Amino acid sequence: MKKIIISLLMIGIPLSLYLPITLSFVSEESDPFSSPEENPLVREVSPPSSTITENDQVSETSSVPEFTVDDFFTIQTLQEKYGDSLASLIPIDPQYIEYDDLRYLEILHVGFDGEIHQGELIVNQAIAEEVLQIFKELYTISFPIEKMKAIHHYDNSDELSMEDNNTSAFNFRMITNGSTPSNHAYGLAIDINPKINPYVYANKVLPANGEDYTDRGQEIPGMITAESEVCEIFKKYGWSWGGDWNQPKDYQHFEKNIS
């Protein structure tokens, strides 16, 4: 049933034609084995109730919402998403970036398990709409992304996030082996499946558990190479890929220059 539902979403057919039905997605923050009642990402859609009028005509008393895939790709301000918890969850240096310069995105993606997951990214507001479009295209081609959680789920540790093969964007940190802010600190870079697409410089591999994936000739779902469609999609929107660099090679890394 889920595969039928998703295929309908992808081609834009209103689900009101196939009711009653329940849409259920696995949240990156929720237990995939929790009951529907406990999962905030379960959307129940019921057919309209009806009554009989004095003229024996059926009158609909409620309307049925129509769903397309766009309903599951959304943008919020960080204040809307995190409220009073914002400052404690997501540290920044206002000398370089303000909270209002960033946006929280909800994004559908295909996991390594073949299921549909609701992920999240934090990016610069200047590229938020574009990032949604890019990830809609990645979703359409079923490019597998294992996890997609905001960096605060890893105590804002890039190392822990990479080791967990977590795809992320904003993280207020300096460049690797440097003292200037990374493009991640401005929400202008995205690392995708970092364990199987590691950062490689001389004998250094990040994350350390990504060493088995330095051989880029392997055929592994979610691995990014110069021939990958994911590269083609990002570059179409003017992004650059770290795998094209001479040194280091940063196979997980895509960034956008907006200056």
Side-chain angles (χ1 to χ4, degrees), residues 130 133-134 137 229-240 256:
E130 182 173 283
Q133 292 303 316
I134 289 171
E137 293 192 36
E229 195 170 358
V230 61
C231 279
E232 179 182 333
I233 291 171
F234 269 96
K235 289 178 180 180
K236 178 177 66 175
Y237 287 90
W239 291 61
S240 60
K256 181 70 179 281

Side-chain angles (χ1 to χ4, degrees), residues 201-222:
Y201 182 65
N203 294 324
K204 185 172 188 176
V205 178
L206 295 175
N209 63 350
E211 190 164 354
D212 290 341
Y213 304 98
T214 56
D215 175 4
R216 306 310 290 172
Q218 302 177 79
E219 293 187 6
I220 298 175

Side-chain angles (χ1 to χ4, degrees), residues 62-204:
S62 65
S63 60
V64 178
E66 295 182 355
F67 290 87
T68 69
V69 70
D70 290 342
D71 293 303
F72 301 94
F73 287 81
T74 66
I75 300 176
Q76 294 177 269
T77 66
L78 268 60
Q79 186 63 49
E80 289 171 334
K81 171 60 182 177
Y82 296 108
D84 295 339
S85 300
L86 177 56
S88 61
L89 286 175
I90 304 174
I92 63 169
D93 184 341
Q95 176 184 350
Y96 298 101
I97 192 82
E98 300 278 356
Y99 286 123
D100 198 45
D101 296 326
L102 300 167
R103 293 293 182 269
Y104 174 89
L105 311 184
E106 284 189 332
I107 292 171
L108 286 186
H109 68 95
V110 178
F112 281 11
D113 57 5
E115 299 294 326
I116 305 303
H117 296 257
Q118 185 85 65
E120 57 182 4
L121 288 177
I122 296 174
V123 302
N124 194 289
Q125 60 85 23
I127 60 169
E129 291 284 357
E130 182 173 283
V131 170
L132 281 191
Q133 292 303 316
I134 289 171
F135 277 86
K136 284 179 186 177
E137 293 192 36
L138 296 184
Y139 171 76
T140 299
I141 65 171
S142 298
F143 177 77
I145 296 173
E146 184 171 13
K147 298 174 183 177
M148 194 187 300
K149 302 178 184 178
I151 198 69
H152 65 81
H153 292 287
Y154 297 89
D155 293 327
N156 299 296
S157 168
D158 186 49
E159 183 177 357
L160 292 177
S161 177
M162 288 193 296
E163 288 177 350
D164 200 33
N165 207 32
N166 178 58
T167 294
S168 67
F170 171 78
N171 182 12
F172 192 83
R173 62 176 179 81
M174 300 299 111
I175 61 173
T176 303
N177 299 322
S179 58
T180 58
S182 162
N183 274 339
H184 288 283
Y186 299 101
L188 295 172
I190 300 173
D191 290 343
I192 298 180
N193 294 333
K195 185 176 77 173
I196 63 174
N197 297 297
Y199 169 100
V200 181
Y201 182 65
N203 294 324
K204 185 172 188 176

